[in-house]
């Protein structure tokens, strides 16, 4: 029995190490080579830099116009994330606590959105953006992100709300709590862990979104990081030393966000468990 348990632990550990390697090895080579001049990269991508340099980052910063594209990406990402938390949270709560034929139908229709890939509707979607005059506007990308994020977000919220004791809400209503205050002061704090999970998942998608964003934001001054990166890769003066530095710059803000978000998710989940 002890030998079997040891073998299971060893297999689980091997699987974890293998999974982490799939993620960390490409990241390691990207960051490592971002500090090396091109001749060293061409000679051996696995070797440590003999003459570490920040020139790659300076060139990538200039050619990406990094401050501008970072600002554009932050505008789209932050407002999309805040909006999806508000919209999916209130929609999921209402559907869960007001069960009838209409809300059940709405829930099914919303979930159907998860089964439709964006590539299947992108031509129709592009025409709708043009008809609604949302092209080359931040609000066009933000509203589109809300639409495509709603199915999964509402699905997660409904599951979280179902796990909450309805007696807590009934007690708040008896004490004179309005529906608005009931959600934001009672329900939302108890589902904060789920909300941070939604934000973590969706921010990754918003930050790395290329296809849909390119449809809407075609002006150079409105480029996000991913569009600027693709333009850099398509340039005639493309070089791997600048490219890996640009990739490192693009993932750094997202890495910082996830380090912070991970702590918030764990903290919120613990508070919710104590309150429950």
């Amino acid at each position: 029995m002890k030998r079997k348990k040891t073998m299971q632990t060893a297999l689980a550990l091997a699987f974890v190490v293998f999974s982490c390697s799939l993620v960390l090895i490409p990241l390691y080579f990207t960051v490592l080579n971002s500090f090396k001049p091109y001749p060293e990269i061409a000679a051996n991508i696995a070797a440590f830099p003999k003459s570490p340099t920040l020139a790659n980052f300076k060139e990538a910063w200039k050619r990406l116009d990094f401050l501008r594209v970072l600002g554009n990406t932050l505008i789209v990402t932050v407002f999309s994330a805040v909006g999806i938390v508000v919209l999916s949270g209130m929609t999921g709560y209402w559907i869960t606590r007001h069960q009838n034929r209409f809300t059940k139908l709405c829930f099914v229709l919303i979930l159907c959105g998860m089964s439709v890939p964006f590539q299947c509707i992108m031509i129709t979607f592009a025409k709708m953006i043009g008809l609604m005059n949302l092209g080359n506007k931040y609000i066009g990308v933000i509203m589109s992100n809300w639409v495509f994020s709603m199915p999964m977000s509402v699905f997660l919220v409904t599951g979280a709300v179902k796990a909450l004791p309805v007696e807590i809400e009934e007690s708040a209503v008896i004490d004179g709590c309005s529906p608005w205050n009931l959600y934001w002061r009672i329900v939302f704090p108890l589902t904060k862990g789920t909300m941070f999970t939604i934000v973590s998942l969706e921010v990754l998608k918003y930050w790395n979104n290329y296809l849909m964003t390119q449809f809407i934001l075609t002006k150079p001054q409105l480029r996000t990081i991913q569009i600027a990166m693709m333009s850099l890769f398509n340039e005639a003066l493309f070089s791997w030393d600048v490219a890996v530095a640009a990739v490192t710059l693009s993932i750094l803000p997202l890495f910082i966000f996830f380090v912070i978000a991970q702590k918030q998710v764990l903290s919120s989940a613990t508070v919710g468990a104590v309150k429950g």
Side-chain angles (χ1 to χ4, degrees), residues 91-107:
T91 301
Y93 171 71
W94 181 264
I95 288 175
T96 305
R97 291 295 188 244
H98 298 81
Q99 290 287 322
N100 53 54
R101 291 183 179 179
F102 176 72
T103 55
K104 289 181 180 179
L105 176 62
C106 290
F107 184 62

Side-chain angles (χ1 to χ4, degrees), residues 16-255:
V16 171
V17 171
F18 175 74
S19 301
C20 291
S21 299
L22 290 177
V23 177
L24 294 178
I25 290 177
L27 180 62
Y28 166 76
F29 282 118
T30 300
V31 176
L32 178 70
N33 288 283
S34 64
F35 293 96
K36 294 161 61 175
Y38 182 76
E40 291 188 28
I41 296 176
N44 187 357
I45 63 171
F48 281 95
K50 298 177 182 178
S51 304
T53 177
L54 295 176
N56 298 337
F57 291 97
K58 293 179 181 179
E59 183 66 18
W61 186 287
K62 182 177 67 174
R63 289 169 63 174
L64 285 176
D65 193 4
F66 189 73
L67 283 181
R68 180 189 292 275
V69 299
L70 176 63
N72 294 339
T73 309
L74 285 175
I75 290 173
V76 171
T77 302
V78 170
F79 283 97
S80 297
V82 172
I84 196 60
V85 166
V86 174
L87 294 174
S88 65
M90 300 182 75
T91 301
Y93 171 71
W94 181 264
I95 288 175
T96 305
R97 291 295 188 244
H98 298 81
Q99 290 287 322
N100 53 54
R101 291 183 179 179
F102 176 72
T103 55
K104 289 181 180 179
L105 176 62
C106 290
F107 184 62
V108 171
L109 292 176
I110 290 173
L111 293 187
C112 285
M114 289 193 293
S115 62
V116 182
F118 174 73
Q119 289 81 356
C120 294
I121 60 172
M122 62 182 181
I123 297 177
T124 306
F125 173 78
K127 291 184 177 179
M128 288 181 60
I129 291 296
L131 291 173
M132 298 173 67
N133 195 27
L134 293 175
N136 286 315
K137 295 179 181 178
Y138 293 127
I139 189 63
V141 180
I142 293 169
M143 290 179 64
S144 301
N145 286 335
W146 293 345
V147 171
F148 289 103
S149 297
M150 279 292 284
M152 178 60 71
S153 301
V154 169
F155 176 74
L156 293 174
V157 170
T158 53
V161 173
K162 286 178 181 178
L164 299 180
V166 72
E167 291 79 10
I168 298 177
E169 300 169 41
E170 292 174 346
S171 300
V173 171
I174 292 174
D175 291 338
C177 189
S178 66
W180 180 265
N181 289 331
L182 174 64
Y183 176 76
W184 288 110
R185 294 189 178 184
I186 306 298
V187 177
F188 183 79
L190 294 175
T191 59
K192 195 178 292 185
T194 300
M195 294 303 177
F196 272 112
T197 301
I198 291 172
V199 169
S200 299
L201 294 173
E202 298 304 323
V203 161
L204 179 63
K205 183 168 67 176
Y206 302 150
W207 192 271
N208 293 321
N209 197 342
Y210 170 76
L211 185 59
M212 185 180 70
T213 307
Q214 188 187 38
F215 268 110
I216 303 173
L217 302 179
T218 57
K219 292 182 178 179
Q221 61 268 29
L222 297 177
R223 286 176 175 174
T224 59
I225 284 180
Q226 299 307 322
I227 298 177
M229 289 279 292
M230 186 57 64
S231 299
L232 175 64
F233 293 158
N234 291 334
E235 289 179 359
L237 298 176
F238 173 80
S239 54
W240 281 108
D241 51 351
V242 178
V244 291
V247 171
T248 303
L249 282 176
S250 69
I251 65 178
L252 183 60
L254 201 60
F255 175 76

